[in-house]
Amino acid sequence: MSHVPAASRALRVLRHLAGRSGPVSASGLAAELGLPRSSLYQLLEAMAEEGFVVHLPEERRWGLGVAAFEIGSAYLRHDPLERLARPLLARLTEETGATAHLGILHGRDTLYLLKEQPPHSPTLITGVGVRLPAHLTASGRSLLARLPRAQVRALYPDAAAFTDRTGRGPAAPGELRTLLAEERRRGYSLEEEQVTEGFSSVAAASFDHNGTPVAAISLTVPVQRPVSPAALAHRVGDAAAELTRRLGGRIPPPEER
């Protein structure tokens, strides 16, 4: 396979990693792709420098890096995702009176793509194009909870990766892992005054055909509003499932990833 251009080999590596449920060993990659180990190691090191793959030394495995996720998210941001989600958000806002958002992961941030706000509602910091720490937002955590655990570890390797806004929310890898496991089992994420004091949000993830989380739908309300998070979560979950269907995706079991 030495005659195959390096770019083609890199794309084959990315496609192979994208089709696996978690990180794989270099020897396994070499065997399945029919590449010499020495060439593969050089290729992986170059891809790691650009952020497309990440090395997990304790596991001696390689997984997709943040840049690979950003490329996939960028494709969806070019129009189809917003067009498919906009009517769902408008319906949510009309039926619940809450502010609805569509967000994606961008590194360790939640990037908001859409916002539907009811008339006369309080102004929120979350607007189209705004980025907020993913570990604090319901949208971000609903996506992090369904990523491979190794990818979350790569994003949040230590306490220095965590930022704070209101003094609430996870501040260390162990705290985040515990919270994500709980939210993964529950099926939705909940944040209470971790982004803005006086407001809480619930969110659920939508998935592509590989069962990979690609976007999250959330609802935000004032904390004093007499509505249970579970009631809002039910509406959000239905909308996220409908977006998954529109994307031609599938919802994986909670413990698949």
Side-chain angles (χ1 to χ4, degrees):
M1 299 295 293
S2 60
H3 64 282
V4 178
S8 296
R9 295 199 296 269
L11 292 173
R12 291 179 62 210
V13 169
L14 288 175
R15 185 180 295 275
H16 184 81
L17 290 176
R20 301 297 295 271
S21 60
V24 300
S25 66
S27 59
L29 267 176
E32 295 200 34
L33 296 178
L35 298 174
R37 286 196 189 185
S38 58
S39 299
L40 179 63
Y41 277 115
Q42 292 177 355
L43 183 62
L44 289 172
E45 289 173 1
M47 294 172 69
E49 288 181 5
E50 298 297 329
F52 284 95
V53 299
V54 61
H55 184 226
L56 306 170
E58 291 80 9
E59 301 180 30
R60 297 183 180 180
R61 291 175 180 268
W62 294 81
L64 289 175
V66 174
F69 186 80
E70 290 175 346
I71 292 295
S73 298
Y75 161 74
L76 292 173
R77 289 200 304 273
H78 275 240
D79 197 29
L81 182 58
E82 289 98 320
R83 285 181 177 269
L84 293 172
R86 184 173 283 108
L88 301 178
L89 266 63
R91 189 183 311 153
L92 273 177
T93 295
E94 181 180 357
E95 294 175 352
T96 66
T99 298
H101 299 91
L102 179 74
I104 63 170
L105 280 180
H106 192 277
R108 288 198 292 261
D109 291 336
T110 300
L111 172 62
Y112 292 96
L113 304 182
L114 291 175
K115 178 179 181 180
E116 290 287 340
Q117 191 165 350
H120 312 300
S121 60
T123 300
L124 299 173
I125 189 175
T126 48
V128 174
V130 169
R131 300 184 189 188
L132 290 171
H135 65 282
L136 297 180
T137 69
S139 294
R141 288 209 305 268
S142 69
L143 295 168
L144 291 171
R146 306 308 295 272
L147 288 179
R149 291 165 178 79
Q151 189 170 344
V152 176
R153 288 197 300 271
L155 287 170
Y156 295 92
D158 50 43
F162 292 79
T163 56
D164 173 71
R165 285 184 58 86
T166 66
R168 301 177 177 90
E175 295 177 21
L176 180 62
R177 285 196 300 271
T178 299
L179 184 56
L180 293 181
E182 175 187 342
E183 295 183 333
R184 185 165 52 248
R185 288 191 297 269
R186 191 170 57 200
Y188 67 90
S189 294
L190 167 67
E191 71 88 4
E192 296 178 297
E193 301 187 275
Q194 296 174 20
V195 174
T196 302
E197 292 185 358
F199 292 90
S200 65
S201 300
V202 295
S206 297
F207 303 85
D208 67 10
H209 64 286
N210 289 319
T212 300
V214 293
I217 293 177
S218 65
L219 286 174
T220 300
V221 295
V223 293
Q224 70 269 23
R225 179 174 167 175
V227 60
S228 71
L232 288 178
H234 178 74
R235 305 300 293 272
V236 164
D238 286 347
E242 172 61 16
L243 181 56
T244 296
R245 187 192 68 79
R246 293 185 177 198
L247 291 169
R250 67 176 184 88
I251 301 175
E255 297 303 321
E256 179 174 320
R257 303 192 71 80

